[in-house]
Amino acid sequence: MSKRQRALIIGGSLAGLFAANLLRKCDWDVDIYERTQGDLASRGAGIGTYRQLFEIMASLGIDNLEAKCIPLYRRLCFDLNGEVIHEINQLHTMSAWSTIYDALRKLVSENEYHSGKQLVDIEQNANKVTAIFSDGSRETGDLLVGADGLRSTVRQHYAPEVEPVYAGYIAWRGMVEENDFSPEDHAQIFENYAFGFPEGEQFLAYPVLGRTNENVRGKRAYNFVWYRPARADTELRDLCTDENGLCHGTAIAPPLIRNDVIEDLKTDAKRLLAPQLAWMVNQVPRPFFQAINDLESKQLVFGRVALIGDAAFIARPHVGGGITKAAIDADNLARALAAHASIDAGLAEFEQQSLHFGRGVVDRARGLGAYLEGQLKPLQERTLQQQSRDVRKVMQEQGAALTNELLSSDKPAH
Ligand SMILES: Cc1cc2nc3c(=O)[nH]c(=O)nc-3n(C[C@H](O)[C@H](O)[C@H](O)COP(=O)(O)OP(=O)(O)OC[C@H]3O[C@@H](n4cnc5c(N)ncnc54)[C@H](O)[C@@H]3O)c2cc1C
Protein backbone atom coordinates (compact mmCIF):
# COMPACT_ATOMS: atom_id res chain seq x y z
CA MET A 1 0.00 0.00 0.00
CA SER A 2 1.25 3.46 -0.89
CA LYS A 3 2.55 5.52 2.02
CA ARG A 4 2.40 8.69 -0.04
CA GLN A 5 0.00 11.32 1.12
CA ARG A 6 -2.94 12.20 -1.05
CA ALA A 7 -4.39 15.63 -1.80
CA LEU A 8 -7.90 16.03 -3.20
CA ILE A 9 -7.95 19.32 -5.10
CA ILE A 10 -11.35 20.85 -5.81
CA GLY A 11 -11.30 23.12 -8.87
CA GLY A 12 -9.19 22.55 -11.97
CA SER A 13 -8.51 26.16 -12.93
CA LEU A 14 -5.22 27.93 -12.23
CA ALA A 15 -5.12 27.67 -8.43
CA GLY A 16 -5.96 23.95 -8.62
CA LEU A 17 -3.37 23.32 -11.33
CA PHE A 18 -0.64 25.18 -9.42
CA ALA A 19 -1.49 23.22 -6.26
CA ALA A 20 -1.44 19.86 -8.05
CA ASN A 21 1.89 20.47 -9.76
CA LEU A 22 3.62 21.95 -6.72
CA LEU A 23 2.34 19.29 -4.30
CA ARG A 24 3.32 16.47 -6.65
CA LYS A 25 6.83 17.95 -6.71
CA CYS A 26 6.84 17.47 -2.91
CA ASP A 27 5.91 13.77 -3.33
CA TRP A 28 2.20 14.04 -2.78
CA ASP A 29 -0.29 12.06 -4.85
CA VAL A 30 -2.69 14.55 -6.34
CA ASP A 31 -6.18 14.37 -7.84
CA ILE A 32 -8.01 17.37 -9.28
CA TYR A 33 -11.81 17.40 -9.39
CA GLU A 34 -13.31 19.97 -11.74
CA ARG A 35 -17.05 20.33 -12.24
CA THR A 36 -16.71 21.51 -15.88
CA GLN A 37 -16.43 18.84 -18.59
CA GLY A 38 -13.34 19.08 -20.84
CA ASP A 39 -10.79 21.89 -20.93
CA LEU A 40 -11.70 25.22 -19.39
CA ALA A 41 -12.41 28.17 -21.66
CA SER A 42 -10.15 31.21 -21.28
CA ARG A 43 -11.06 33.52 -18.39
CA GLY A 44 -9.93 37.03 -18.90
CA ALA A 45 -7.94 38.52 -21.71
CA GLY A 46 -4.67 39.93 -20.45
CA ILE A 47 -2.90 38.75 -17.38
CA GLY A 48 -0.43 41.08 -15.75
CA THR A 49 2.57 39.05 -14.61
CA TYR A 50 4.88 39.32 -11.62
CA ARG A 51 8.39 38.02 -11.07
CA GLN A 52 7.03 35.48 -8.59
CA LEU A 53 4.73 33.97 -11.23
CA PHE A 54 7.67 33.31 -13.58
CA GLU A 55 9.75 31.89 -10.72
CA ILE A 56 7.05 29.47 -9.62
CA MET A 57 6.42 28.41 -13.22
CA ALA A 58 10.19 27.91 -13.68
CA SER A 59 10.30 25.73 -10.56
CA LEU A 60 7.88 23.44 -12.43
CA GLY A 61 10.15 23.39 -15.49
CA ILE A 62 8.04 25.90 -17.46
CA ASP A 63 10.59 28.47 -18.58
CA ASN A 64 9.52 29.31 -22.14
CA LEU A 65 6.82 31.83 -21.31
CA GLU A 66 8.60 34.99 -22.44
CA ALA A 67 7.86 34.39 -26.14
CA LYS A 68 4.16 34.44 -25.36
CA CYS A 69 4.31 37.63 -23.32
CA ILE A 70 4.06 41.25 -24.40
CA PRO A 71 6.39 43.67 -22.57
CA LEU A 72 4.95 47.15 -21.99
CA TYR A 73 7.54 49.83 -21.43
CA ARG A 74 5.49 53.01 -21.13
CA ARG A 75 2.31 54.29 -19.51
CA LEU A 76 0.52 57.18 -21.17
CA CYS A 77 -2.31 59.28 -19.75
CA PHE A 78 -4.54 61.15 -22.22
CA ASP A 79 -6.66 64.22 -21.58
CA LEU A 80 -10.04 64.85 -23.19
CA ASN A 81 -8.39 66.36 -26.26
CA GLY A 82 -6.22 63.31 -26.84
CA GLU A 83 -2.99 64.95 -25.63
CA VAL A 84 -0.55 62.96 -23.48
CA ILE A 85 -0.52 64.69 -20.08
CA HIS A 86 1.51 62.12 -18.11
CA GLU A 87 4.09 59.65 -19.33
CA ILE A 88 5.86 57.08 -17.14
CA ASN A 89 8.53 54.59 -18.20
CA GLN A 90 7.82 51.44 -16.23
CA LEU A 91 8.00 47.84 -17.47
CA HIS A 92 5.12 45.43 -17.03
CA THR A 93 4.84 42.14 -18.88
CA MET A 94 1.44 40.90 -20.04
CA SER A 95 0.63 37.25 -20.55
CA ALA A 96 -2.67 35.44 -21.21
CA TRP A 97 -4.84 33.24 -19.01
CA SER A 98 -4.77 30.40 -21.55
CA THR A 99 -0.96 30.55 -21.87
CA ILE A 100 -0.58 29.85 -18.16
CA TYR A 101 -3.47 27.34 -18.11
CA ASP A 102 -2.15 25.34 -21.11
CA ALA A 103 1.38 25.13 -19.69
CA LEU A 104 0.16 23.90 -16.27
CA ARG A 105 -2.53 21.59 -17.68
CA LYS A 106 0.04 19.73 -19.84
CA LEU A 107 1.91 18.67 -16.70
CA VAL A 108 -1.16 16.97 -15.20
CA SER A 109 -2.00 13.47 -16.42
CA GLU A 110 -5.49 12.32 -17.36
CA ASN A 111 -5.38 10.00 -14.31
CA GLU A 112 -4.94 13.01 -12.08
CA TYR A 113 -7.50 15.39 -13.65
CA HIS A 114 -11.15 14.39 -13.23
CA SER A 115 -13.56 16.54 -15.26
CA GLY A 116 -17.29 16.70 -14.65
CA LYS A 117 -16.90 16.10 -10.88
CA GLN A 118 -18.81 18.58 -8.76
CA LEU A 119 -18.10 18.64 -5.04
CA VAL A 120 -21.28 18.85 -2.98
CA ASP A 121 -20.20 17.87 0.54
CA ILE A 122 -17.17 17.21 2.75
CA GLU A 123 -16.66 14.93 5.74
CA GLN A 124 -13.52 14.68 7.87
CA ASN A 125 -12.02 13.18 11.00
CA ALA A 126 -8.69 13.96 12.65
CA ASN A 127 -6.55 12.47 9.85
CA LYS A 128 -8.64 11.99 6.76
CA VAL A 129 -10.99 14.04 4.65
CA THR A 130 -13.64 12.78 2.23
CA ALA A 131 -15.00 14.65 -0.77
CA ILE A 132 -18.53 13.78 -1.85
CA PHE A 133 -19.55 14.50 -5.43
CA SER A 134 -22.89 15.17 -7.12
CA ASP A 135 -22.77 11.74 -8.81
CA GLY A 136 -22.68 10.12 -5.36
CA SER A 137 -19.01 9.07 -5.58
CA ARG A 138 -16.63 9.65 -2.65
CA GLU A 139 -12.87 10.14 -2.49
CA THR A 140 -10.76 10.13 0.66
CA GLY A 141 -7.37 11.77 1.17
CA ASP A 142 -5.06 13.33 3.76
CA LEU A 143 -5.81 16.88 2.60
CA LEU A 144 -8.53 18.66 0.62
CA VAL A 145 -7.59 21.86 -1.18
CA GLY A 146 -10.45 24.26 -1.96
CA ALA A 147 -9.36 25.87 -5.25
CA ASP A 148 -12.93 26.33 -6.41
CA GLY A 149 -13.02 30.07 -6.97
CA LEU A 150 -15.25 33.01 -6.04
CA ARG A 151 -18.38 30.98 -5.15
CA SER A 152 -16.34 28.20 -3.49
CA THR A 153 -18.43 25.26 -2.25
CA VAL A 154 -15.58 24.40 0.12
CA ARG A 155 -15.58 27.89 1.68
CA GLN A 156 -19.36 27.94 1.92
CA HIS A 157 -19.21 24.63 3.80
CA TYR A 158 -16.86 25.95 6.51
CA ALA A 159 -17.31 29.73 6.44
CA PRO A 160 -20.70 30.55 4.91
CA GLU A 161 -20.55 34.06 6.39
CA VAL A 162 -17.64 35.02 4.09
CA GLU A 163 -19.13 36.47 0.92
CA PRO A 164 -18.05 38.80 -1.88
CA VAL A 165 -18.74 42.46 -0.99
CA TYR A 166 -19.62 44.76 -3.88
CA ALA A 167 -17.18 47.68 -4.04
CA GLY A 168 -19.62 50.19 -5.58
CA TYR A 169 -18.30 50.19 -9.13
CA ILE A 170 -18.16 48.04 -12.22
CA ALA A 171 -15.58 47.40 -14.92
CA TRP A 172 -16.62 47.62 -18.55
CA ARG A 173 -14.35 45.58 -20.79
CA GLY A 174 -13.76 44.98 -24.48
CA MET A 175 -11.05 44.01 -26.98
CA VAL A 176 -10.11 45.85 -30.17
CA GLU A 177 -8.28 43.97 -32.94
CA GLU A 178 -4.70 45.21 -33.54
CA ASN A 179 -5.31 45.66 -37.28
CA ASP A 180 -8.20 48.04 -36.61
CA PHE A 181 -5.83 50.68 -35.18
CA SER A 182 -4.81 53.56 -37.46
CA PRO A 183 -1.02 53.58 -38.09
CA GLU A 184 -0.70 56.78 -35.98
CA ASP A 185 -2.61 55.44 -32.97
CA HIS A 186 -0.86 52.08 -33.27
CA ALA A 187 2.56 53.72 -33.17
CA GLN A 188 1.67 55.90 -30.21
CA ILE A 189 -0.47 53.57 -28.13
CA PHE A 190 -0.43 49.89 -29.02
CA GLU A 191 2.63 48.63 -27.14
CA ASN A 192 1.95 50.85 -24.12
CA TYR A 193 -0.59 51.21 -21.36
CA ALA A 194 -3.15 53.94 -22.08
CA PHE A 195 -4.95 55.69 -19.21
CA GLY A 196 -7.80 58.19 -18.98
CA PHE A 197 -9.25 59.71 -15.84
CA PRO A 198 -12.74 61.14 -16.32
CA GLU A 199 -14.17 62.73 -13.16
CA GLY A 200 -14.98 59.91 -10.71
CA GLU A 201 -13.96 57.19 -13.13
CA GLN A 202 -10.90 55.42 -14.49
CA PHE A 203 -10.03 53.97 -17.88
CA LEU A 204 -7.02 51.85 -18.77
CA ALA A 205 -6.11 49.71 -21.73
CA TYR A 206 -3.22 47.45 -22.77
CA PRO A 207 -2.27 44.93 -25.48
CA VAL A 208 -3.11 41.24 -25.15
CA LEU A 209 -2.45 38.18 -27.27
CA GLY A 210 -5.91 38.22 -28.82
CA ARG A 211 -8.25 35.47 -29.90
CA THR A 212 -5.66 33.18 -31.52
CA ASN A 213 -3.31 33.48 -28.54
CA GLU A 214 -0.41 34.32 -30.88
CA ASN A 215 2.20 36.95 -30.12
CA VAL A 216 2.38 38.02 -33.76
CA ARG A 217 2.04 41.59 -35.00
CA GLY A 218 -1.41 42.07 -36.50
CA LYS A 219 -2.98 39.20 -34.58
CA ARG A 220 -2.88 40.76 -31.16
CA ALA A 221 -5.61 42.85 -29.56
CA TYR A 222 -5.96 45.81 -27.19
CA ASN A 223 -8.04 45.32 -24.07
CA PHE A 224 -9.80 48.17 -22.26
CA VAL A 225 -11.13 48.28 -18.70
CA TRP A 226 -13.34 51.22 -17.76
CA TYR A 227 -14.20 51.53 -14.08
CA ARG A 228 -17.50 53.35 -13.44
CA PRO A 229 -19.37 53.78 -10.14
CA ALA A 230 -22.85 52.18 -10.02
CA ARG A 231 -25.22 52.08 -7.03
CA ALA A 232 -26.09 48.50 -6.13
CA ASP A 233 -29.81 49.01 -5.60
CA THR A 234 -30.52 51.21 -8.62
CA GLU A 235 -27.88 51.55 -11.36
CA LEU A 236 -26.37 48.07 -11.06
CA ARG A 237 -29.85 46.52 -10.94
CA ASP A 238 -30.77 48.38 -14.10
CA LEU A 239 -27.54 47.37 -15.88
CA CYS A 240 -28.23 43.74 -14.96
CA THR A 241 -31.81 43.83 -16.27
CA ASP A 242 -32.27 42.24 -19.71
CA GLU A 243 -34.49 43.27 -22.65
CA ASN A 244 -37.39 41.31 -21.13
CA GLY A 245 -37.21 43.20 -17.84
CA LEU A 246 -35.67 40.29 -15.94
CA CYS A 247 -33.03 41.37 -13.38
CA HIS A 248 -30.11 38.92 -13.11
CA GLY A 249 -28.89 40.10 -9.71
CA THR A 250 -25.42 41.64 -9.72
CA ALA A 251 -24.01 39.82 -12.77
CA ILE A 252 -25.50 39.46 -16.23
CA ALA A 253 -24.18 37.25 -19.06
CA PRO A 254 -22.66 39.50 -21.77
CA PRO A 255 -25.14 38.53 -24.54
CA LEU A 256 -28.04 39.60 -22.29
CA ILE A 257 -26.83 43.17 -21.71
CA ARG A 258 -29.45 45.51 -23.22
CA ASN A 259 -28.64 47.40 -26.41
CA ASP A 260 -29.61 50.75 -24.87
CA VAL A 261 -27.09 50.16 -22.05
CA ILE A 262 -24.33 49.59 -24.59
CA GLU A 263 -25.38 52.59 -26.68
CA ASP A 264 -25.29 54.82 -23.56
CA LEU A 265 -21.78 53.57 -22.78
CA LYS A 266 -20.57 54.42 -26.28
CA THR A 267 -22.12 57.88 -26.11
CA ASP A 268 -20.53 58.48 -22.69
CA ALA A 269 -17.17 57.40 -24.09
CA LYS A 270 -17.29 60.19 -26.72
CA ARG A 271 -18.22 62.72 -24.03
CA LEU A 272 -15.78 61.65 -21.29
CA LEU A 273 -12.71 60.10 -22.90
CA ALA A 274 -9.89 61.16 -25.24
CA PRO A 275 -10.85 60.48 -28.89
CA GLN A 276 -8.34 57.58 -29.11
CA LEU A 277 -9.87 55.91 -26.03
CA ALA A 278 -13.48 56.64 -27.01
CA TRP A 279 -12.74 55.06 -30.38
CA MET A 280 -11.81 51.78 -28.63
CA VAL A 281 -15.11 51.65 -26.74
CA ASN A 282 -17.05 52.37 -29.93
CA GLN A 283 -15.05 49.88 -31.99
CA VAL A 284 -16.12 46.91 -29.83
CA PRO A 285 -19.59 45.70 -30.88
CA ARG A 286 -20.66 44.53 -27.44
CA PRO A 287 -18.54 45.57 -24.46
CA PHE A 288 -19.48 43.71 -21.25
CA PHE A 289 -19.11 44.49 -17.56
CA GLN A 290 -18.35 42.83 -14.23
CA ALA A 291 -19.19 44.15 -10.76
CA ILE A 292 -16.04 44.68 -8.68
CA ASN A 293 -15.97 42.79 -5.36
CA ASP A 294 -13.73 42.26 -2.36
CA LEU A 295 -13.60 38.84 -0.77
CA GLU A 296 -11.69 38.37 2.46
CA SER A 297 -11.46 35.10 4.42
CA LYS A 298 -10.65 35.19 8.14
CA GLN A 299 -9.53 31.56 8.21
CA LEU A 300 -7.97 29.40 5.48
CA VAL A 301 -7.57 26.06 7.25
CA PHE A 302 -10.40 23.94 8.64
CA GLY A 303 -8.91 20.69 9.94
CA ARG A 304 -7.54 18.95 6.85
CA VAL A 305 -9.06 21.46 4.44
CA ALA A 306 -7.21 24.49 3.00
CA LEU A 307 -8.51 27.35 0.82
CA ILE A 308 -6.35 28.90 -1.91
CA GLY A 309 -6.70 31.31 -4.85
CA ASP A 310 -9.99 33.12 -5.47
CA ALA A 311 -11.76 30.81 -2.99
CA ALA A 312 -9.70 32.43 -0.22
CA PHE A 313 -9.35 36.11 -1.21
CA ILE A 314 -10.29 38.25 -4.18
CA ALA A 315 -8.70 41.63 -4.62
CA ARG A 316 -10.05 44.30 -6.93
CA PRO A 317 -8.32 44.08 -10.31
CA HIS A 318 -6.21 47.26 -9.81
CA VAL A 319 -3.38 45.07 -8.53
CA GLY A 320 -3.94 42.64 -11.45
CA GLY A 321 -2.55 39.72 -9.49
CA GLY A 322 -5.29 37.05 -9.31
CA ILE A 323 -3.17 34.46 -11.04
CA THR A 324 0.07 35.30 -9.28
CA LYS A 325 -1.82 35.13 -6.00
CA ALA A 326 -3.13 31.67 -6.88
CA ALA A 327 0.45 30.59 -7.65
CA ILE A 328 1.84 32.04 -4.41
CA ASP A 329 -0.91 30.46 -2.28
CA ALA A 330 -0.22 27.05 -3.83
CA ASP A 331 3.52 27.56 -3.38
CA ASN A 332 3.03 28.59 0.27
CA LEU A 333 1.00 25.41 0.80
CA ALA A 334 3.50 23.05 -0.84
CA ARG A 335 6.49 24.65 0.88
CA ALA A 336 4.86 24.61 4.32
CA LEU A 337 3.80 20.96 3.99
CA ALA A 338 7.28 20.00 2.80
CA ALA A 339 8.88 21.82 5.74
CA HIS A 340 6.95 19.96 8.46
CA ALA A 341 6.64 16.27 9.27
CA SER A 342 3.11 16.90 10.52
CA ILE A 343 0.43 17.97 8.03
CA ASP A 344 -1.32 20.02 10.70
CA ALA A 345 1.85 22.00 11.45
CA GLY A 346 2.37 22.58 7.72
CA LEU A 347 -1.20 23.81 7.33
CA ALA A 348 -0.78 26.19 10.27
CA GLU A 349 2.28 27.74 8.62
CA PHE A 350 0.50 27.95 5.26
CA GLU A 351 -2.45 29.71 6.85
CA GLN A 352 -0.25 32.30 8.54
CA GLN A 353 1.58 33.09 5.29
CA SER A 354 -1.40 33.16 2.98
CA LEU A 355 -3.67 35.11 5.35
CA HIS A 356 -0.98 37.77 5.59
CA PHE A 357 -0.52 37.87 1.83
CA GLY A 358 -4.25 37.76 0.98
CA ARG A 359 -5.13 40.56 3.40
CA GLY A 360 -2.25 42.66 2.09
CA VAL A 361 -3.27 42.28 -1.56
CA VAL A 362 -6.95 43.01 -0.81
CA ASP A 363 -5.97 46.11 1.21
CA ARG A 364 -3.65 47.39 -1.48
CA ALA A 365 -6.32 46.97 -4.17
CA ARG A 366 -8.98 48.54 -1.93
CA GLY A 367 -6.73 51.56 -1.44
CA LEU A 368 -6.24 51.90 -5.19
CA GLY A 369 -10.00 51.71 -5.77
CA ALA A 370 -10.97 53.95 -2.84
CA TYR A 371 -11.47 57.02 -5.00
CA LEU A 372 -13.90 55.13 -7.26
CA GLU A 373 -15.73 53.61 -4.29
CA GLY A 374 -16.07 57.03 -2.64
CA GLN A 375 -17.96 58.49 -5.61
CA LEU A 376 -21.28 57.14 -4.33
CA LYS A 377 -20.97 59.01 -1.02
CA PRO A 378 -21.56 62.74 -0.40
CA LEU A 379 -18.22 64.57 -0.39
CA GLN A 380 -18.31 65.23 3.37
CA GLU A 381 -18.71 61.50 4.11
CA ARG A 382 -15.73 60.38 2.04
CA THR A 383 -12.51 59.34 3.76
CA LEU A 384 -9.35 61.21 2.83
CA GLN A 385 -8.29 58.27 0.67
CA GLN A 386 -11.67 58.33 -1.08
CA GLN A 387 -11.37 62.05 -1.79
CA SER A 388 -7.95 62.15 -3.33
CA ARG A 389 -6.70 60.82 -6.59
CA ASP A 390 -3.05 60.87 -7.50
CA VAL A 391 -3.18 60.03 -11.18
CA ARG A 392 0.54 59.26 -11.50
CA LYS A 393 0.39 56.96 -8.48
CA VAL A 394 -2.55 55.06 -9.97
CA MET A 395 -0.56 54.67 -13.19
CA GLN A 396 2.52 53.45 -11.32
CA GLU A 397 0.67 51.03 -9.03
CA GLN A 398 -0.87 49.05 -11.89
CA GLY A 399 1.07 45.77 -11.70
CA ALA A 400 3.72 47.29 -9.39
CA ALA A 401 6.10 44.77 -7.82
CA LEU A 402 4.94 42.74 -4.82
CA THR A 403 7.01 43.82 -1.86
CA ASN A 404 8.58 41.43 0.67
CA GLU A 405 6.33 42.92 3.36
CA LEU A 406 3.28 42.01 1.30
CA LEU A 407 4.50 38.50 0.55
CA SER A 408 5.35 37.66 4.14
CA SER A 409 6.32 39.23 7.41
CA ASP A 410 9.04 36.67 8.04
CA LYS A 411 9.99 34.98 4.80
CA PRO A 412 12.44 36.22 2.15
CA ALA A 413 10.96 36.94 -1.28
CA HIS A 414 11.03 34.14 -3.85
C1 LIG B 1 -14.66 35.70 -16.00
C2 LIG B 1 -13.31 35.91 -15.34
C3 LIG B 1 -12.40 36.85 -15.86
C4 LIG B 1 -11.14 37.06 -15.27
N1 LIG B 1 -10.23 37.93 -15.82
C5 LIG B 1 -8.99 38.07 -15.27
C6 LIG B 1 -7.99 38.93 -15.86
O1 LIG B 1 -8.24 39.55 -16.89
N2 LIG B 1 -6.76 39.03 -15.21
C7 LIG B 1 -6.46 38.32 -14.07
O2 LIG B 1 -5.33 38.40 -13.53
N3 LIG B 1 -7.38 37.51 -13.54
C8 LIG B 1 -8.63 37.38 -14.09
N4 LIG B 1 -9.54 36.56 -13.52
C9 LIG B 1 -9.17 35.90 -12.28
C10 LIG B 1 -8.31 34.73 -12.54
O3 LIG B 1 -8.86 33.95 -13.59
C11 LIG B 1 -8.23 33.94 -11.24
O4 LIG B 1 -7.67 34.77 -10.22
C12 LIG B 1 -7.35 32.73 -11.42
O5 LIG B 1 -7.91 31.89 -12.43
C13 LIG B 1 -7.22 31.89 -10.16
O6 LIG B 1 -8.48 31.54 -9.83
P1 LIG B 1 -8.86 30.18 -9.16
O7 LIG B 1 -8.26 29.01 -9.83
O8 LIG B 1 -8.66 30.37 -7.70
O9 LIG B 1 -10.45 30.24 -9.42
P2 LIG B 1 -11.23 30.09 -10.79
O10 LIG B 1 -10.41 30.41 -11.97
O11 LIG B 1 -12.53 30.77 -10.61
O12 LIG B 1 -11.50 28.51 -10.83
C14 LIG B 1 -12.30 27.81 -9.91
C15 LIG B 1 -12.61 26.45 -10.56
O13 LIG B 1 -13.34 25.66 -9.62
C16 LIG B 1 -14.38 25.00 -10.31
N5 LIG B 1 -15.41 24.71 -9.30
C17 LIG B 1 -16.18 25.58 -8.65
N6 LIG B 1 -17.00 24.93 -7.79
C18 LIG B 1 -16.72 23.62 -7.91
C19 LIG B 1 -17.22 22.45 -7.26
N7 LIG B 1 -18.19 22.51 -6.35
N8 LIG B 1 -16.71 21.25 -7.62
C20 LIG B 1 -15.72 21.17 -8.57
N9 LIG B 1 -15.21 22.24 -9.20
C21 LIG B 1 -15.69 23.45 -8.87
C22 LIG B 1 -14.83 26.01 -11.36
O14 LIG B 1 -15.52 25.38 -12.41
C23 LIG B 1 -13.51 26.61 -11.79
O15 LIG B 1 -12.92 25.93 -12.88
C24 LIG B 1 -10.79 36.33 -14.11
C25 LIG B 1 -11.71 35.39 -13.56
C26 LIG B 1 -12.94 35.16 -14.17
C27 LIG B 1 -13.89 34.11 -13.58
Side-chain angles (χ1 to χ4, degrees):
M1 206 173 94
S2 167
K3 290 204 180 106
R4 286 160 63 98
Q5 284 155 327
R6 182 182 188 212
L8 312 172
I9 298 166
I10 310 301
S13 176
L14 296 185
L17 289 171
F18 273 116
N21 285 306
L22 290 162
L23 285 170
R24 192 192 319 95
K25 214 170 123 238
C26 302
D27 292 330
W28 280 69
D29 286 334
V30 292
D31 283 284
I32 297 178
Y33 300 95
E34 165 57 49
R35 68 179 172 194
T36 310
Q37 291 281 4
D39 278 347
L40 299 184
S42 176
R43 295 162 187 216
I47 299 298
T49 64
Y50 289 86
R51 180 172 56 81
Q52 290 79 6
L53 177 68
F54 288 113
E55 288 175 2
I56 292 171
M57 299 284 280
S59 78
L60 294 170
I62 305 166
D63 49 13
N64 54 352
L65 281 181
E66 305 286 339
K68 287 211 155 194
C69 290
I70 307 178
L72 306 187
Y73 295 98
R74 288 194 302 157
R75 299 165 185 222
L76 307 174
C77 175
F78 294 89
D79 72 5
L80 201 50
N81 299 319
E83 301 297 325
V84 174
I85 49 170
H86 298 287
E87 180 171 341
I88 297 174
N89 292 322
Q90 186 179 329
L91 177 67
H92 193 206
T93 303
M94 302 302 295
S95 183
W97 192 92
S98 47
T99 301
I100 314 281
Y101 173 82
D102 291 346
L104 293 170
R105 182 68 184 85
K106 275 191 195 127
L107 299 180
V108 176
S109 74
E110 290 313 312
N111 293 337
E112 293 172 322
Y113 196 100
H114 312 276
S115 296
K117 298 287 278 186
Q118 178 167 7
L119 179 91
V120 290
D121 205 357
I122 306 168
E123 291 172 0
Q124 62 172 313
N125 60 30
N127 300 315
K128 294 282 176 190
V129 55
T130 299
I132 302 161
F133 298 96
S134 57
D135 58 7
S137 61
R138 301 165 73 93
E139 295 291 340
T140 297
D142 304 281
L143 171 68
L144 183 145
V145 180
D148 51 346
L150 170 70
R151 306 272 167 208
S152 167
T153 309
V154 179
R155 190 189 66 240
Q156 281 165 16
H157 186 87
Y158 290 103
E161 72 286 359
V162 177
E163 288 193 353
V165 177
Y166 175 54
Y169 55 99
I170 61 171
W172 278 97
R173 300 168 60 156
M175 270 207 298
V176 183
E177 303 295 334
E178 180 171 15
N179 279 342
D180 289 347
F181 274 75
S182 70
E184 299 73 32
D185 284 354
H186 188 281
Q188 183 186 34
I189 296 176
F190 192 82
E191 289 182 349
N192 299 312
Y193 268 113
F195 286 85
F197 292 92
E199 185 66 31
E201 306 188 359
Q202 184 185 321
F203 180 100
L204 80 156
Y206 44 84
V208 296
L209 291 191
R211 297 181 207 292
T212 58
N213 212 23
E214 286 174 279
N215 194 6
V216 174
R217 195 183 161 98
K219 293 198 168 178
R220 300 171 297 180
Y222 205 68
N223 185 57
F224 73 77
V225 185
W226 185 4
Y227 296 109
R228 311 196 75 189
R231 284 177 207 287
D233 47 354
T234 51
E235 290 146 310
L236 184 57
R237 269 191 75 79
D238 177 57
L239 292 169
C240 292
T241 299
D242 66 21
E243 301 278 2
N244 298 320
L246 180 66
C247 179
H248 296 259
T250 55
I252 182 168
L256 297 181
I257 299 174
R258 297 195 316 274
N259 290 337
D260 65 294
V261 167
I262 291 178
E263 285 316 309
D264 285 351
L265 179 84
K266 294 185 174 190
T267 307
D268 285 354
K270 290 178 189 157
R271 190 167 55 85
L272 298 171
L273 298 170
Q276 302 93 318
L277 310 185
W279 169 79
M280 292 174 202
V281 178
N282 279 272
Q283 186 67 17
V284 176
R286 291 191 60 85
F288 62 96
F289 67 87
Q290 292 165 293
I292 303 299
N293 293 298
D294 298 313
L295 182 106
E296 212 168 349
S297 290
K298 308 233 168 335
Q299 190 178 338
L300 299 181
V301 172
F302 306 87
R304 286 299 179 87
V305 171
L307 295 176
I308 63 169
D310 285 6
F313 285 92
I314 298 186
R316 302 178 194 183
H318 311 295
V319 174
I323 286 168
T324 301
K325 197 189 119 357
I328 290 175
D329 280 349
D331 193 50
N332 282 342
L333 181 64
R335 281 171 186 257
L337 289 169
H340 294 271
S342 133
I343 293 178
D344 296 324
L347 288 176
E349 183 181 317
F350 154 74
E351 183 173 50
Q352 187 194 331
Q353 296 289 358
S354 276
L355 271 181
H356 172 88
F357 178 52
R359 281 182 193 138
V361 173
V362 168
D363 274 356
R364 177 166 153 186
R366 197 179 271 142
L368 291 170
Y371 172 81
L372 295 162
E373 183 178 354
Q375 296 304 310
L376 299 183
K377 295 183 185 169
L379 197 56
Q380 63 277 14
E381 287 177 26
R382 293 181 201 168
T383 63
L384 275 181
Q385 205 178 25
Q386 288 173 341
Q387 286 175 39
S388 65
R389 173 157 70 176
D390 180 340
V391 165
R392 287 185 70 87
K393 183 162 178 254
V394 174
M395 292 171 69
Q396 279 164 338
E397 286 283 338
Q398 182 70 32
L402 301 173
T403 59
N404 287 358
E405 292 71 24
L406 195 62
L407 286 160
S408 168
S409 49
D410 59 15
K411 170 178 98 160
H414 291 280

